[in-house]
Amino acid sequence: MNHDMFESSPAAYAYPLLIKHLLHTPLAHAVDQEIVYRGETRLTYRAMRERLARLANGLSRHGASMGTTVAVIDWDSHRYLECYFAIPMMGAVLQTVNVRLSPAEIAYTINHAGAQILLLHTDFLPVIESIRDQLETVRTFIWIDDAGSEASAHTIPFADEYERMLAASEPAYDFPDFDENTRATTFYTTGTTGLPKGVYFSHRQLVLHTITGMAALASPVSGQRFHRGDVYMPITPMFHVHAWGMPYIATVLGVKQVYPGRYLPERLLALVRDEGVTFSHCVGTIMHMLLGCGDAKSIDLSRWKVVIGGGALPHGLARAALERGIDIFAGYGMSETCPLLTLAQLKPGSETLDLDEQVELRCKTGLPLPLVDLHIVDEEGIDAVHDGRASGEVVVRTPWLTQGYLKDAEASAQLWDGGYLHTQDVANIDPNGYLQITDRIKDVIKSGGEWVSSLEIESLISLHPAVSEVAVIGIKDEKWGERPVALVVLKPQAAAPASADDIRNHVLAFSETGRISKYAVPQIVKIVDQLDKTSVGKLNKKRLREQFAVTPEGKATS
Amino acid sequence: MNHDMFESSPAAYAYPLLIKHLLHTPLAHAVDQEIVYRGETRLTYRAMRERLARLANGLSRHGASMGTTVAVIDWDSHRYLECYFAIPMMGAVLQTVNVRLSPAEIAYTINHAGAQILLLHTDFLPVIESIRDQLETVRTFIWIDDAGSEASAHTIPFADEYERMLAASEPAYDFPDFDENTRATTFYTTGTTGLPKGVYFSHRQLVLHTITGMAALASPVSGQRFHRGDVYMPITPMFHVHAWGMPYIATVLGVKQVYPGRYLPERLLALVRDEGVTFSHCVGTIMHMLLGCGDAKSIDLSRWKVVIGGGALPHGLARAALERGIDIFAGYGMSETCPLLTLAQLKPGSETLDLDEQVELRCKTGLPLPLVDLHIVDEEGIDAVHDGRASGEVVVRTPWLTQGYLKDAEASAQLWDGGYLHTQDVANIDPNGYLQITDRIKDVIKSGGEWVSSLEIESLISLHPAVSEVAVIGIKDEKWGERPVALVVLKPQAAAPASADDIRNHVLAFSETGRISKYAVPQIVKIVDQLDKTSVGKLNKKRLREQFAVTPEGKATS
């Protein structure tokens, strides 16, 4: 506190919800706690405080001030964490650039956001070099020279280098108070069609997301928790929806944080082992890959808790992870929602359920976080009953949803309708309150007058031991309207090979027990080599439907 | 959700932080969970939702609307919980009347707050009857007819009775959206001098206090937690600082809640046993009384977690509770702060400390909650070093502090200075971040040029097996400036009697080991029959100093 704290101000009691206030707890409780980068660089929260001030002073020197957009391209690192705090704390806007977009799309998002400063890791020099002429707003490039990365030949006129900039800057900075509705972050969503769309979040929204997410993640009786004794490592990129907001939560908890750099399976597993990582989050595909990695067999994963998001958690994957001792469970959210909306935590008393029952609950979409006002509604906005069968579109209201899409009034108006954000996800809610997403609205299959959940059928097929990946899509059918078709990638190393008929019989068995309706059994199961994905690794069902469109005889063409 | 949710509004994404939003979680996860009153009345959260609507409709019929102050006088009950929600959710203001004030003070607070409606439990009829002529603003009295309470003769013209009012009201109410800064609650603090002062809190403040308190209470590794599997029972009256905000936290957690009515030790212990209570909070005096109650010996208290607040947690009490298996720890706050500021939770790794070390930490004032910006400062606002010795006044900034005292600009200006609320508590902070309050500013003892902590000496004296209660005050001394004097109440049933010299030697031993300075050893130890207390049961040190003022010879007069 500095000397002039006793000067009076007009509203002495005012306390705007600013990101800087998330630092009070770690700086009071946990200044000596570690922040680790790739097992090589080790800092403390005390050091981070000083580095935030140096970063702010350095960026100020390069022209950043209130409202400046500063774009960052880096692997997951302590530097990125510093940008999560220092850039918004200055009143500037952090743009987390999605490096999985095409170079042209990356240029589009940087221009569209109007970023003036770009922090750039060595590994992405070729990409930026290739689009440099297209960048209309960036006037300052700052190099992130990461030990071990080799710079390719380039012509980018770097004004500074990250560590040199920090070393040359003062270790104190008076982060100001300002309106809590000030924009803090922006990034771009990707769809299967059209240009990327920008979403954005304010300080107030991020603070509320952090504290509420922390409350929800901490409060179960035992498992599926994120608590002060954990060691945190993200495996969802930090450019993607604030790495689900978890780095902010980890910081308030004051836990040891481990940033893995680029996601190499062997390195991730080694960090889990060597740094004692106990809490992570990733998409199902990554967990699938990690469990299949040779190194995984020799590492004790029984203290590891992992939230799976970015798509449904398949039953087969949940079972495989649980059998390895991993406390796996689903979470749900999207770029537009900051992202956390629900977590598939077990309720008190459910800890004693057997494995099958646990798999069921952990693969549910989950229970809403506090302050999340969530409904499943029909087209007139009428709530569906919560019987685990009736479904409707998920619409939601929380204090941390994007206000709209950046400079896109039309898309914003479609997103927000009647005070609720429309997710375009179709779901049911069971009598215990668990949400279960069954489809995207545009992927819904209607067969024989009944809605078929492609996600449920995919999850059931994933339980077959020979199946590696699966997509279920609807194809037109004269008699039934639509029929489900399953596209299956088999495991190359499966113990026993499987035929399309084997897979179909596997699903048929669930129909015979009444678990699913007979309309839900895929008419056609097709073994394929690979499935088309979007830039963020999700199934591109639009493309798949085009590829596997049916002939008039009802046979898939591809 | 009703039909018109799809009508557009100017700021579709707006989500004010309103108390009604705290109900989303329990109504989504825990509708069948119980709310129990005295082990007799059992409701569910589902029933509570309907009762909140009925209560709002009933109060509307009696004239309550936006801004109306509704005062409540009741024991701790499900009804009081309903008032915590329904009254602010209507946009009205809940006044929780402190029944421990004198009748004249009660009249003063109701008039000062301008309450128009008064809900009144049978047991308080005589008090209100005695001041009825003095009540200037109340125009509607509503009777709370509690089974088993007998109404005395009275002339109060009740307009309705609580349960009859609910039964006669519609079970649906459209709780509106409004500005989150709308006042939600008010109540009055008590000091040793002057009239009670009103503090007040907005919806935003209570929501932020609830979610942040939940996050802090849930996030330890194992002990000192409040989680979804707990059973909650308050033992701090609901008229006192929102029962520390815990009923709101319990509701968001969706736990079973037990309301004990009037605090009778046997009943409280029976409820702990019969309802399986695992989480409570109370002042030290009550815990002292419960542990001394004959029934306590036969009850398993080893699953009970109890936060002690409203004053320091004495080492002797902490040890006695821990030996009974109670997970006891201190919390800190005040009427002006909503109240939670710190909690004396153990850090990860401290679970294995031995009993003595745990007692030390659990009796600390605690670690700040998230978003709490807390400093110990000198008169110029300069921070004291955090070495566990240097002390200063605790000043604080959080999003949930009263904006001032109701209709009292002068006192408000003293409370807020330079953007920080001044607690008038003197404290140190140790290198691990634990705050330790050593005194109230006005109770500080300065002896031989050193500050002596009256609270620390009291805590050390409390460790003596014959001591029941103790107060340490400063008396003037020509040579030393001030010297500490200890006033001690002995246990009537102590195994061995103790003399004043025994007590003094007990303290002297701590001085010889260097734990306290020699100036801190009380010059005089005086055995007394009782200690003067304020209306809320705290030591009235102002009165004690008057009673035990010294003669010129340095001897206490009383």
Side-chain angles (χ1 to χ4, degrees):
Chain A
M1 185 185 301
N2 59 29
H3 203 100
D4 56 18
M5 66 163 279
F6 290 151
E7 285 170 20
S8 271
S9 72
Y13 52 82
Y15 185 111
L17 298 175
L18 299 176
I19 287 171
K20 68 176 178 179
H21 292 308
L22 298 177
L23 293 171
H24 294 308
T25 334
L27 295 180
H29 305 193
V31 279
D32 296 317
Q33 185 60 271
E34 280 186 316
I35 297 168
V36 181
Y37 175 54
R38 296 199 320 204
E40 296 156 6
T41 306
R42 311 184 91 82
L43 300 166
T44 61
Y45 282 76
R46 191 195 308 275
M48 178 169 99
R49 170 171 50 183
E50 188 181 305
R51 286 170 62 88
L52 296 183
R54 290 180 184 275
L55 177 54
N57 281 317
L59 291 173
S60 294
R61 209 164 55 240
H62 289 297
S65 60
M66 279 295 299
T68 306
T69 297
V70 180
V72 175
I73 300 184
D74 192 6
W75 304 115
D76 287 11
S77 68
H78 59 302
R79 299 172 298 252
Y80 222 138
L81 182 68
E82 289 156 6
C83 291
Y84 268 41
F85 282 93
I87 293 171
M89 282 163 60
M90 302 172 65
V93 182
L94 167 69
Q95 181 185 4
T96 58
V97 178
N98 183 345
V99 298
R100 296 213 191 119
L101 297 178
S102 70
E105 285 174 322
I106 290 176
Y108 171 81
T109 63
I110 293 174
N111 290 336
H112 191 261
Q116 296 182 285
I117 300 177
L118 174 61
L119 279 65
L120 176 62
H121 184 281
T122 306
D123 288 353
F124 301 95
L125 273 172
V127 174
I128 298 304
E129 179 80 350
S130 75
I131 57 171
R132 200 193 139 198
D133 292 346
Q134 299 164 48
L135 296 179
E136 297 157 9
T137 58
V138 175
R139 47 174 176 66
T140 306
F141 293 88
I142 295 170
W143 183 27
I144 296 174
D145 174 22
D146 203 1
S149 293
E150 252 176 73
S152 52
H154 69 86
T155 60
I156 295 173
F158 284 118
D160 213 335
E161 190 281 327
Y162 191 89
E163 289 297 334
R164 278 203 300 277
M165 177 173 74
L166 265 56
S169 301
E170 287 297 314
Y173 186 96
D174 190 13
F175 290 104
D177 270 16
F178 42 73
D179 188 324
E180 67 188 24
N181 296 304
T182 302
R183 190 172 301 170
T185 63
T186 187
F187 53 87
Y188 285 72
T189 69
T190 51
T192 48
T193 55
L195 287 164
K197 293 196 287 287
V199 294
Y200 51 100
F201 299 92
S202 69
H203 282 255
R204 171 185 162 109
Q205 292 181 309
L206 283 165
V207 169
L208 290 170
H209 183 267
T210 302
I211 301 294
T212 312
M214 175 180 167
L217 279 162
S219 56
V221 179
S222 52
Q224 302 98 51
R225 290 186 65 210
F226 192 11
H227 59 63
R228 291 187 199 151
D230 277 316
V231 176
Y232 167 69
M233 181 174 78
I235 320 183
T236 310
M238 294 180 82
F239 64 72
H240 186 62
V241 210
H242 321 108
W244 301 355
M246 298 293 187
Y248 287 120
I249 297 174
T251 302
V252 178
L253 281 169
V255 298
K256 177 175 168 182
Q257 302 187 45
V258 180
Y259 289 90
R262 190 173 186 169
Y263 292 170
L264 308 172
E266 295 74 16
R267 183 195 286 165
L268 293 172
L269 288 166
L271 286 170
V272 170
R273 180 192 60 211
D274 299 341
E275 301 293 342
V277 172
T278 59
F279 188 86
S280 293
H281 46 86
C282 62
V283 294
T285 323
I286 295 261
M287 177 52 73
H288 187 79
M289 190 179 72
L290 290 174
L291 289 178
C293 178
D295 294 10
K297 308 276 181 294
S298 63
I299 297 178
D300 176 13
L301 301 176
S302 69
R303 293 186 62 230
W304 203 20
K305 298 170 281 189
V306 183
V307 190
I308 301 292
L313 168 56
H315 286 65
L317 179 61
R319 172 177 282 279
L322 285 169
E323 283 169 352
R324 290 296 314 277
I326 301 173
D327 184 0
I328 196 171
F329 62 110
Y332 167 56
M334 47 182 63
S335 296
E336 290 80 352
T337 66
C338 200
L340 293 173
L341 294 176
T342 70
L343 292 165
Q345 294 164 321
L346 302 181
K347 290 190 186 186
S350 307
E351 301 86 352
T352 55
L353 293 178
D354 68 27
L355 187 67
D356 283 338
E357 293 166 317
Q358 289 215 9
V359 166
E360 280 294 321
L361 290 177
R362 290 166 182 267
C363 293
K364 288 266 184 182
T365 306
L367 298 167
L369 272 67
L371 305 181
V372 171
D373 179 17
L374 184 150
H375 297 259
I376 48 171
V377 298
D378 66 16
E379 285 170 16
E380 278 75 45
I382 307 294
D383 278 287
V385 292
H386 295 187
D387 62 0
R389 303 188 69 84
S391 62
E393 187 189 3
V394 178
V395 300
V396 72
R397 200 178 162 212
T398 85
W400 52 78
L401 308 177
T402 188
Q403 296 176 21
Y405 296 111
L406 210 58
K407 305 174 195 166
D408 189 340
E410 193 182 332
S412 302
Q414 282 175 9
L415 183 67
W416 282 98
D417 192 0
Y420 284 79
L421 184 146
H422 288 242
T423 64
Q424 300 196 44
D425 284 323
V426 176
N428 61 60
I429 295 178
D430 72 19
N432 291 317
Y434 284 93
L435 182 76
Q436 177 67 63
I437 291 179
T438 54
D439 258 310
R440 294 287 291 167
I441 280 186
K442 63 184 187 313
D443 294 334
V444 158
I445 303 169
K446 200 161 187 182
S447 184
E450 280 194 37
W451 280 15
V452 171
S453 165
S454 64
L455 297 183
E456 183 176 22
I457 308 307
E458 287 167 7
S459 195
L460 293 176
I461 291 176
S462 78
L463 288 170
H464 191 287
V467 171
S468 172
E469 281 188 295
V470 55
V472 172
I473 56 175
I475 56 168
K476 286 213 165 29
D477 182 278
E478 289 197 7
K479 184 170 174 192
W480 304 105
E482 282 185 316
R483 290 307 302 270
V485 167
L487 309 170
V488 173
V489 180
L490 294 176
K491 289 181 188 160
Q493 79 288 23
S499 68
D501 276 350
D502 293 339
I503 306 292
R504 192 163 184 280
N505 288 333
H506 167 79
V507 185
L508 210 51
F510 290 104
S511 157
E512 281 158 7
T513 64
R515 164 75 189 254
I516 53 171
S517 82
K518 61 179 178 171
Y519 303 106
V521 180
Q523 188 177 30
I524 300 168
V525 173
K526 203 167 162 53
I527 309 295
V528 298
D529 290 338
Q530 59 177 35
L531 295 169
D532 205 75
K533 304 240 175 72
T534 68
S535 64
V536 294
K538 294 186 186 179
L539 290 171
N540 190 339
K541 290 205 172 173
K542 184 165 177 283
R543 282 283 289 282
L544 291 172
R545 276 191 296 267
E546 289 162 6
Q547 287 169 22
F548 295 93
V550 287
T551 64
E553 295 78 43
K555 302 279 185 194
T557 54
S558 177
Chain B
M1 184 185 301
N2 59 31
H3 203 97
D4 55 18
M5 66 160 281
F6 289 151
E7 287 171 18
S8 271
S9 72
Y13 53 82
Y15 185 110
L17 299 175
L18 299 176
I19 287 172
K20 68 176 179 180
H21 292 307
L22 298 178
L23 293 170
H24 294 308
T25 333
L27 295 180
H29 305 193
V31 280
D32 296 317
Q33 186 59 272
E34 280 186 315
I35 297 167
V36 182
Y37 175 52
R38 296 201 318 206
E40 296 155 6
T41 306
R42 312 185 91 82
L43 301 166
T44 62
Y45 282 76
R46 191 194 307 275
M48 178 168 99
R49 168 171 52 183
E50 188 181 305
R51 286 171 61 90
L52 296 183
R54 291 179 183 274
L55 176 54
N57 282 316
L59 291 173
S60 294
R61 211 164 55 240
H62 290 297
S65 61
M66 281 294 299
T68 306
T69 296
V70 180
V72 175
I73 299 184
D74 192 4
W75 304 116
D76 286 11
S77 68
H78 59 302
R79 299 172 299 250
Y80 221 137
L81 181 69
E82 289 156 7
C83 291
Y84 268 40
F85 283 92
I87 293 172
M89 281 163 62
M90 303 171 65
V93 182
L94 167 68
Q95 181 186 4
T96 58
V97 178
N98 182 346
V99 299
R100 295 212 191 121
L101 297 177
S102 70
E105 286 175 321
I106 290 176
Y108 170 81
T109 64
I110 293 174
N111 290 335
H112 191 261
Q116 295 181 285
I117 300 177
L118 175 61
L119 279 65
L120 177 62
H121 183 282
T122 306
D123 289 351
F124 301 95
L125 273 172
V127 173
I128 298 304
E129 179 80 352
S130 75
I131 56 171
R132 199 193 141 198
D133 293 347
Q134 299 164 47
L135 295 179
E136 295 158 9
T137 57
V138 176
R139 46 174 178 65
T140 306
F141 293 88
I142 295 170
W143 182 27
I144 297 174
D145 174 21
D146 203 2
S149 292
E150 251 176 73
S152 52
H154 70 87
T155 60
I156 296 174
F158 283 118
D160 214 332
E161 190 282 326
Y162 192 89
E163 289 298 333
R164 278 202 300 276
M165 178 172 75
L166 265 58
S169 301
E170 288 297 314
Y173 186 98
D174 190 12
F175 289 105
D177 270 16
F178 42 75
D179 188 325
E180 67 188 21
N181 295 305
T182 302
R183 190 171 301 171
T185 63
T186 187
F187 53 87
Y188 285 72
T189 69
T190 51
T192 48
T193 54
L195 288 164
K197 293 196 287 288
V199 294
Y200 51 100
F201 299 93
S202 68
H203 282 256
R204 170 185 163 109
Q205 292 180 309
L206 283 165
V207 168
L208 289 170
H209 183 268
T210 302
I211 301 294
T212 313
M214 176 178 166
L217 279 162
S219 58
V221 180
S222 53
Q224 302 98 50
R225 292 186 63 209
F226 191 13
H227 59 63
R228 292 188 198 150
D230 277 316
V231 177
Y232 167 69
M233 180 172 79
I235 321 185
T236 311
M238 294 179 82
F239 63 73
H240 187 64
V241 210
H242 321 109
W244 302 355
M246 299 291 187
Y248 287 119
I249 297 174
T251 302
V252 178
L253 282 169
V255 299
K256 176 175 168 182
Q257 303 186 45
V258 180
Y259 289 90
R262 190 172 185 170
Y263 291 170
L264 308 172
E266 294 75 14
R267 183 196 285 165
L268 293 171
L269 288 166
L271 286 170
V272 170
R273 180 191 60 211
D274 299 342
E275 301 293 340
V277 172
T278 59
F279 188 84
S280 293
H281 46 85
C282 62
V283 294
T285 324
I286 295 263
M287 177 52 73
H288 187 80
M289 191 178 69
L290 290 174
L291 289 178
C293 179
D295 294 10
K297 309 275 182 294
S298 62
I299 297 178
D300 176 14
L301 302 176
S302 68
R303 294 188 60 230
W304 203 21
K305 297 170 280 189
V306 183
V307 190
I308 300 293
L313 168 55
H315 286 66
L317 180 62
R319 172 177 283 278
L322 285 169
E323 283 169 352
R324 290 299 312 277
I326 300 172
D327 185 358
I328 195 169
F329 60 111
Y332 167 56
M334 47 181 63
S335 297
E336 289 81 352
T337 66
C338 201
L340 293 174
L341 294 176
T342 71
L343 292 165
Q345 294 165 320
L346 302 181
K347 290 191 185 184
S350 307
E351 302 87 352
T352 54
L353 293 178
D354 68 25
L355 188 67
D356 282 339
E357 293 167 315
Q358 289 215 9
V359 165
E360 280 295 321
L361 290 177
R362 290 165 182 266
C363 293
K364 289 267 185 182
T365 306
L367 298 167
L369 272 68
L371 305 182
V372 171
D373 178 16
L374 184 149
H375 298 259
I376 49 171
V377 297
D378 67 15
E379 285 170 15
E380 279 75 45
I382 308 295
D383 278 288
V385 293
H386 294 186
D387 62 0
R389 304 187 68 84
S391 62
E393 186 188 5
V394 178
V395 300
V396 70
R397 202 178 161 212
T398 85
W400 52 78
L401 307 177
T402 189
Q403 296 177 20
Y405 295 112
L406 210 58
K407 305 174 195 166
D408 189 342
E410 193 183 329
S412 301
Q414 282 175 9
L415 182 67
W416 282 98
D417 192 1
Y420 283 78
L421 184 145
H422 288 242
T423 65
Q424 300 196 45
D425 284 323
V426 175
N428 62 61
I429 295 177
D430 72 21
N432 291 316
Y434 283 94
L435 182 77
Q436 177 67 64
I437 291 179
T438 54
D439 259 311
R440 293 289 289 167
I441 280 187
K442 62 184 188 313
D443 295 335
V444 158
I445 304 169
K446 199 162 188 181
S447 185
E450 281 195 36
W451 280 14
V452 170
S453 166
S454 65
L455 298 183
E456 183 177 23
I457 310 307
E458 287 166 7
S459 195
L460 293 176
I461 291 176
S462 78
L463 288 169
H464 190 287
V467 171
S468 172
E469 282 188 294
V470 56
V472 171
I473 55 174
I475 55 169
K476 287 211 163 31
D477 182 278
E478 289 196 6
K479 182 169 174 193
W480 303 105
E482 282 185 316
R483 292 305 304 270
V485 166
L487 309 170
V488 173
V489 180
L490 294 175
K491 288 181 188 159
Q493 79 288 21
S499 68
D501 276 351
D502 293 340
I503 306 292
R504 191 163 185 281
N505 289 334
H506 167 79
V507 185
L508 210 51
F510 290 105
S511 157
E512 281 158 7
T513 63
R515 164 75 188 255
I516 54 172
S517 82
K518 62 179 177 171
Y519 302 106
V521 179
Q523 187 176 31
I524 300 168
V525 174
K526 201 167 161 54
I527 309 295
V528 297
D529 291 338
Q530 59 177 39
L531 295 169
D532 206 77
K533 305 239 176 72
T534 69
S535 65
V536 293
K538 293 187 187 178
L539 290 171
N540 190 338
K541 290 206 172 172
K542 182 165 178 283
R543 281 282 291 281
L544 290 171
R545 277 192 295 268
E546 287 162 8
Q547 285 170 24
F548 295 92
V550 286
T551 63
E553 294 79 43
K555 302 280 184 196
T557 54
S558 175

